[in-house]
């Protein structure tokens, strides 16, 4: 019996053909991930752009007939390719595109990570999620110098503090319906939280869409400094934790849009003189995507846009930051000409 195909324009709808579904419908990973887990979000949200989430590292191999065409579509990365990472700041030449601070409000570079040998968030049990939290927080509390900080469990955070941290872009939002349908919000807020240093320039989200979102951020457009801080932090954390990764796909993440570098490098940039179309055209030319002031599924407030690299797989971390620097300089030049 052929199943009804997912509706809408998602990559899931495009690539989950009846033949692919017949091939995959009885497969189960060693952690118990089935096809229904992988496609739940896209079935529940026909307006999804992608529509799938991996339940563990093995999902990317066992359900490759569905994931590979989606990965090729989104990243332009064929199944014969192998991802290469480069986190060495010495290889980055990204002069500050806004040294006078007239346009760029702030710069943020994050990577997603999941611990090796655990399921991912969509099928983690409450107990496993608490073990992940304890393991990650233990590693973070061993950091020193600029990276030293404190962990704040969401369950112990008062609503006003939480709202302020979200408004100030330091903490993840709640209630994303795509994450909800994927099972990533189960047992919320249990074993979720935020680690940050004194200056909130180094932060780690624990057990949101991925088990770790490791973040370096600061006001202004010094991309080199933000990248160097992140690289230092990752060097320290790689000594303390083992992350899920594969030779072919790099770092492995819940959503296939985050594979490879798992990096989003972004600027919040004020461009009052440019239309949305002009901004989109320049961003597209530099492989960048434009989002609202509070990121995914948000609008620009006060003319501040979130501009970041679209692709994360098949380019290196250095290349992703270099593209952002070049694209940001192009947007600023266009803005300066607009007045
Ligand atoms: P992702 O999960 O891909 O990192 P999200 O949209 O879920 O993106 O969350 C990103 C968060 O980081 C949002 O709160 C957004 O406001 C914030 N953010 C993104 N770029 C910047 C930036 N350059 N400066 C400050 N905050 C940023
Ligand atoms: N909203 C989901 C995921 C898109 C990529 N964003 C992530 N992973 N946060 C969709 O399929 O549209
Ligand atoms: Mg997000």
């Amino acid at each position: 019996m052929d199943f009804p195909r997912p509706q809408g324009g998602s990559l899931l709808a495009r690539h989950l053909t009846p033949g692919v579904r017949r091939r995959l419908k009885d497969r189960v990973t060693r952690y118990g991930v089935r096809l229904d887990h992988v496609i739940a979000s896209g079935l529940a949200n026909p307006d999804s752009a992608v529509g799938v989430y991996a339940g563990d590292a093995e999902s990317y191999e066992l359900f490759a007939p569905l994931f590979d065409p989606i990965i090729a579509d989104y990243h332009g990365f064929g199944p014969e390719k192998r991802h290469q990472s480069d986190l060495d700041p010495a290889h980055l030449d990204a002069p500050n595109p806004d040294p006078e601070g007239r346009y760029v409000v702030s710069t943020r570079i994050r990577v997603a990570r999941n611990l090796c040998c655990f399921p991912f968030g969509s099928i983690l049990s409450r107990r496993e999620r608490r073990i992940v939290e304890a393991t990650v927080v233990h590693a973070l509390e061993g950091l020193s110098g600029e990276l030293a900080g404190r962990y704040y469990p969401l369950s112990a955070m008062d609503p006003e503090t939480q709202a302020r941290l979200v408004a100030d872009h330091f903490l993840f939002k709640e209630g994303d319906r795509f994450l909800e349908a994927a099972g990533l919000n189960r047992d919320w807020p249990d074993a979720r939280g935020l680690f940050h240093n004194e200056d909130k320039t180094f932060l780690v989200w624990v057990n949101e869409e991925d088990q770790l979102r490791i973040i370096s951020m600061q006001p202004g457009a010094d991309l080199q400094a933000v990248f160097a801080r992140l690289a230092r932090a990752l060097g320290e954390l790689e000594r303390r934790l083992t992350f899920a990764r594969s030779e072919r796909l790099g770092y492995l993440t819940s959503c296939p849009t985050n594979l490879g570098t798992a990096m989003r490098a972004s600027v919040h940039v004020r461009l009052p003189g440019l239309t949305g179309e002009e901004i989109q055209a320049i961003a597209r030319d530099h492989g960048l995507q434009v989002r609202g002031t509070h990121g995914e599924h948000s609008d620009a407030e006060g003319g501040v846009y979130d501009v970041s690299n679209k692709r994360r797989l098949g380019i290196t971390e250095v290349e992703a930051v270099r593209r952002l620097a070049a694209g940001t300089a192009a947007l600023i030049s266009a803005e300066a000409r607009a007045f």
Side-chain angles (χ1 to χ4, degrees):
M1 177 186 80
D2 273 351
F3 296 80
R5 290 190 69 161
Q7 302 308 305
S10 66
L11 295 180
L12 168 67
R14 183 181 306 169
H15 296 293
L16 183 64
T17 62
V20 166
R21 185 190 280 262
R22 272 196 301 275
R23 282 179 65 189
L24 300 182
K25 67 182 178 57
D26 298 323
R27 294 187 185 182
V28 191
T29 72
R30 63 195 291 266
Y31 288 142
V33 178
R34 310 180 68 89
L35 179 63
D36 290 348
H37 291 117
V38 170
I39 67 176
S41 186
L43 292 184
N45 298 284
D47 58 336
S48 293
V50 181
V52 294
Y53 290 88
D56 56 14
E58 187 185 355
S59 297
Y60 285 108
E61 298 314 316
L62 201 67
F63 301 109
L66 175 60
F67 273 115
D68 281 358
I70 288 175
I71 288 165
D73 234 333
Y74 184 88
H75 297 282
F77 188 89
E80 75 293 343
K81 290 191 174 175
R82 293 292 174 270
H83 178 74
Q84 296 290 331
S85 267
D86 181 359
L87 273 157
D88 185 346
H91 296 164
L92 175 65
D93 175 18
N96 186 328
D98 181 25
E100 294 170 15
R102 296 178 58 193
Y103 306 97
V104 175
V105 177
S106 53
T107 297
R108 174 182 187 267
I109 306 179
R110 67 84 168 152
V111 294
R113 294 289 186 270
N114 292 285
L115 296 187
C116 162
C117 320
F118 275 90
F120 293 171
S122 60
I123 67 155
L124 272 178
S125 68
R126 181 189 290 264
R127 179 176 173 275
E128 288 166 334
R129 192 180 304 107
R130 289 178 172 183
I131 294 170
V132 167
E133 179 190 42
T135 306
V136 169
V137 170
H138 178 68
L140 291 169
E141 289 176 344
L143 297 177
S144 59
E146 177 196 23
L147 303 179
R150 239 192 85 189
Y151 178 65
Y152 304 87
L154 212 56
S155 52
M157 199 181 284
D158 64 78
E160 294 72 28
T161 300
Q162 184 178 350
R164 192 179 65 254
L165 287 167
V166 171
D168 292 344
H169 310 294
F170 296 124
L171 180 62
F172 43 77
K173 296 167 279 191
E174 286 191 334
D176 180 298
R177 59 187 162 95
F178 303 94
L179 303 184
E180 180 70 29
L184 283 157
N185 294 343
R186 278 180 303 105
D187 309 318
W188 194 276
D190 192 82
R192 275 76 175 200
L194 169 70
F195 174 94
H196 66 74
N197 66 0
E198 180 71 28
D199 298 334
K200 296 194 185 76
T201 54
F202 171 63
L203 309 92
V204 179
W205 293 354
V206 179
N207 282 326
E208 190 235 8
E209 179 176 334
D210 291 290
Q211 291 163 11
L212 295 90
R213 290 293 178 91
I214 304 161
I215 302 160
S216 171
M217 64 193 289
Q218 65 189 53
D222 190 347
L223 282 73
Q224 192 83 34
V226 175
F227 184 64
R229 181 187 301 115
L230 180 66
R232 281 197 303 278
L234 289 173
E236 288 299 320
L237 289 175
E238 290 270 2
R239 289 177 40 227
R240 294 167 167 81
L241 299 167
T242 304
F243 296 127
R245 60 176 300 166
S246 80
E247 281 305 304
R248 180 166 77 97
L249 297 173
Y251 289 102
L252 301 177
T253 54
S254 291
C255 178
T257 64
N258 282 313
L259 288 166
T261 63
M263 173 181 277
R264 180 186 298 279
S266 68
V267 292
H268 272 180
V269 58
R270 195 171 281 115
L271 303 164
L274 298 180
T275 65
E277 294 70 30
E278 289 167 329
I279 296 169
Q280 288 288 359
I282 296 169
R284 205 171 24 251
D285 289 349
H286 290 81
L288 303 178
Q289 72 181 130
V290 183
R291 308 182 313 162
T293 311
H294 282 273
E296 194 163 35
H297 312 312
S298 74
D299 299 320
E301 294 166 7
V304 175
Y305 295 88
D306 165 333
V307 178
S308 60
N309 57 299
K310 180 176 186 293
R311 274 183 61 189
R312 281 172 262 292
L313 173 65
I315 61 169
T316 68
E317 291 84 354
V318 168
E319 175 60 16
V321 179
R322 195 202 57 74
R323 285 186 188 196
L324 178 65
T328 304
L331 286 164
I332 290 172
S333 300
E335 173 67 22
R337 288 194 302 273
F339 275 103

